[in-house]
Amino acid sequence: MNMPAAPIEVIKQHLIDPEICIRCNTCEETCPIDAITHDENNYVVKADVCNGCMACIAPCPTGAIDSWRTVFKAQAYGIEEQFGWDELPPDRPIGEAATASLQGSLVTALGAGEGATDAEDLTHTRTAMVPPWSAAKPYVNLYTHKGPVTATVVGNYRLTDASTDSDIRHIVLDFGAIPFPVLEGQSIGILPPGMTRDGKPHHARQYSIASPRNGERPGYNNLSLTVKRVTHDHEGNVAAGVCSNYLCDLRKGDVVTVIGPFGSTFLMPNHPHSHLLMICTGTGSAPMRAMTEYRRRRRLEGATGKLMLFFGARTKDELPYFGPLMNLPKDFIDTNLAFSRTPGQPKRYVQDAMRERAADLAQWLKDDQTHIYVCGLRGMEEGVLQVLQEIAQGNGLVWPALWTRLKREGRLHVETY
Ligand code: FAD
Ligand code: A2P
């Protein structure tokens, strides 16, 4: 008697395109089941863990995450193999048997969104992201690694006091006649010149845009960045960051290679009565500056929404944009600063400043017009969300329900690095 043939299981394997990926970690953070990991070279997807829930697709700023190959399950690409890739393997045709199987029930990673809602949990970082309903539609990926654009440096100014160790710079890039449309909250990728130790081109680094959509200078085809020179790694060891040092050392007239723009969810609402609650540390102030300045320019056109800012830095002298920020009218923006290393004063983080304003923040959380933006040090993310939770729960709000609603309505955005 003939035995039934063993089914040939075919999967649509989820991969990440190493040529487009800017290694921003968003996918790894978003994945609800830890199917994504990385090494020094690449971000990769574990075929045996990924369930195709699609939670990672929308948040990816470049679209590198939306890469798929049809393969026999037994021959799925392992993560070690993916770590070594410089480009995706070609999409090879599979045999008829496999095609038939693909059309049947054996396709395992094609859940196309089915799992997205169930995969949502309340651990703060792992929820599908959408922009506010009134956000303008962004352009993304106009320029890629294979087709980058160049911009000319028209300004590079130190924002932090010369007496401090923090070298944070305001860098203005001009695109001349080349279209580079951006929105506040988006970022760009910079391709630093040179090669890695193993002879590969450096991968792009991502930088938030610090200027409004109509230019650092209104009506000009330029944008600004807020770049911190990395001189030590996260563990405190001396390490000269490749791209940040390159950018901080640029001079007027230098030309840089740019890709992007990126980002389709961390965007500001356009309806004039929407409120912006902005919480940031260090260079996380870049998108807040962009949104604040856009609101300031629009204010003249009758915008009534409120702005509230919580901004953390080591000291006053290390807080980028301290001077201009202090000059903004109090009835335009409610600014709360938190300094962690002011000599003779206790360490103060943005979370502490938020706790002090708990009564006001509770009113903001109850207001359907409130849009919340958190950007900066990865370490502050959990603490900030924890305070929001405490304030909500202390004021009769059910945080898990509010959290879900804020995310579903595109009113809570977190970008940390
Ligand atoms: P690398 O050569 O990549 O790294 C050198 C060493 O420093 C490594 O050990 C690395 O782990 C460590 N390191 C990397 N970054 C830091 C850091 N920030 N602090 C301490 N150690 C670090 N940066 C800005 O300055 N301004 C921005 O507006 C900005 N926006 C970003 C937006 C997004 C969405 C993301 C994902 C990142 C953003 N960054 C921003 C960080 C930026 O992309 C780079 O990671 C950063 O400039 C370091 O790059 P590098 O090439 O200089 O360092
Ligand atoms: P700290 O003095 O502890 O480093 P940086 O200068 O490294 O970009 O950091 C910006 C600010 O964010 C600093 O004041 C820093 O304080 C602060 N910070 C560090 N960790 C956290 C955290 N977990 N939550 C909030 N703020 C933090």
Side-chain angles (χ1 to χ4, degrees):
M1 202 173 85
N2 287 339
M3 296 291 286
I8 306 165
E9 195 165 351
V10 171
I11 60 167
K12 195 95 171 158
Q13 184 174 0
H14 188 190
L15 300 168
I16 298 174
D17 188 337
E19 288 189 285
I20 304 177
C21 175
I22 50 173
R23 283 83 178 161
C24 66
N25 205 55
T26 306
C27 54
E28 194 171 319
E29 274 177 38
T30 312
C31 179
I33 53 167
D34 294 329
I36 298 179
T37 184
H38 69 277
D39 72 352
E40 286 196 343
N41 198 33
N42 284 336
Y43 276 73
V44 301
V45 186
K46 299 174 196 162
D48 54 338
V49 180
C50 176
N51 64 1
C53 77
M54 312 296 269
C56 58
I57 302 296
C60 170
T62 64
I65 193 79
D66 204 3
S67 305
W68 307 84
R69 290 289 181 269
T70 307
V71 296
F72 293 112
K73 188 175 182 186
Q75 295 171 358
Y77 300 105
I79 59 168
E80 292 305 327
E81 196 174 358
Q82 295 176 51
F83 283 144
W85 286 347
D86 293 325
E87 57 184 31
L88 286 175
D91 201 5
R92 284 191 220 94
I94 52 170
E96 274 176 25
T99 309
S101 159
L102 183 62
Q103 285 160 355
S105 59
L106 291 173
V107 180
T108 53
L110 259 179
E114 280 168 19
T117 308
D118 295 342
E120 247 177 47
D121 64 17
L122 296 174
T123 56
H124 293 150
T125 51
R126 300 180 165 195
T127 312
M129 291 181 245
V130 290
W133 68 265
S134 62
K137 300 292 166 282
Y139 286 88
V140 290
N141 289 320
L142 280 182
Y143 303 99
T144 63
H145 287 72
K146 286 189 175 146
V149 72
T150 54
T152 306
V153 178
V154 292
N156 181 351
Y157 315 95
R158 184 167 167 139
L159 293 166
T160 42
D161 196 88
S163 63
T164 69
D165 288 340
S166 307
D167 186 5
I168 303 182
R169 294 186 167 257
H170 184 68
I171 298 172
V172 186
L173 302 179
D174 192 279
F175 290 87
I178 298 173
F180 203 92
V182 298
L183 292 173
E184 307 77 14
Q186 285 194 290
S187 57
I188 64 170
I190 299 286
L191 289 168
M195 299 280 177
T196 61
R197 258 176 282 149
D198 40 359
K200 293 177 183 163
H202 290 296
H203 66 76
R205 282 13 177 224
Q206 206 175 346
Y207 295 91
S208 302
I209 296 161
S211 49
R213 64 192 76 180
N214 54 343
E216 168 70 10
R217 181 169 175 182
Y220 281 68
N221 190 16
N222 61 15
L223 59 77
S224 61
L225 305 175
T226 314
V227 181
K228 178 176 182 173
R229 187 189 293 277
V230 171
T231 54
H232 293 81
D233 64 17
H234 293 290
E235 285 73 46
N237 307 309
V238 172
V242 171
C243 195
S244 59
N245 281 276
Y246 161 68
L247 286 172
C248 290
D249 290 337
L250 286 171
R251 301 163 78 99
K252 228 171 155 177
D254 285 346
V255 170
V256 293
T257 307
V258 181
I259 59 174
F262 304 125
S264 53
T265 57
F266 193 112
L267 300 175
M268 66 186 291
N270 270 347
H271 56 292
H273 46 288
S274 52
H275 310 313
L276 306 182
L277 172 57
M278 300 173 281
I279 303 152
C280 63
T281 58
T283 55
S285 54
M288 313 312 183
R289 178 185 187 268
M291 293 195 281
T292 302
E293 180 57 13
Y294 186 61
R295 269 298 170 88
R296 196 186 65 80
R297 290 180 192 175
R298 273 194 75 190
R299 196 175 175 225
L300 303 171
E301 295 161 28
T304 56
K306 295 182 285 182
L307 278 73
M308 193 178 200
L309 173 70
F310 291 88
F311 192 167
R314 295 177 187 187
T315 62
K316 165 182 156 302
D317 291 335
E318 289 168 274
L319 185 129
Y321 307 114
F322 181 79
L325 194 55
M326 291 299 100
N327 286 336
L328 291 172
K330 301 277 171 290
D331 64 344
F332 168 63
I333 184 166
D334 181 347
T335 300
N336 302 263
L337 306 180
F339 299 120
S340 58
R341 302 192 197 181
T342 304
Q345 294 196 4
K347 194 178 190 78
R348 200 157 165 268
Y349 281 170
V350 279
Q351 297 89 303
D352 302 312
M354 291 171 73
R355 278 199 187 90
E356 286 164 18
R357 298 293 306 273
D360 296 314
L361 282 173
Q363 296 312 311
W364 277 66
L365 288 177
K366 287 177 184 171
D367 191 329
D368 288 347
Q369 294 304 329
T370 297
H371 295 68
I372 307 172
Y373 299 85
V374 182
C375 188
L377 275 188
R378 177 151 300 148
M380 69 146 177
E381 179 176 331
E382 201 48 48
V384 165
L385 294 172
Q386 184 63 39
V387 178
L388 289 174
Q389 175 168 3
E390 280 167 31
I391 294 172
Q393 287 176 342
N395 289 275
L397 294 164
V398 180
W399 177 248
L402 178 60
W403 160 262
T404 304
R405 198 153 70 85
L406 286 168
K407 295 296 284 187
R408 195 162 284 155
E409 294 174 3
R411 296 197 291 120
L412 174 56
H413 299 275
V414 181
E415 193 159 88
T416 55
Y417 45 87

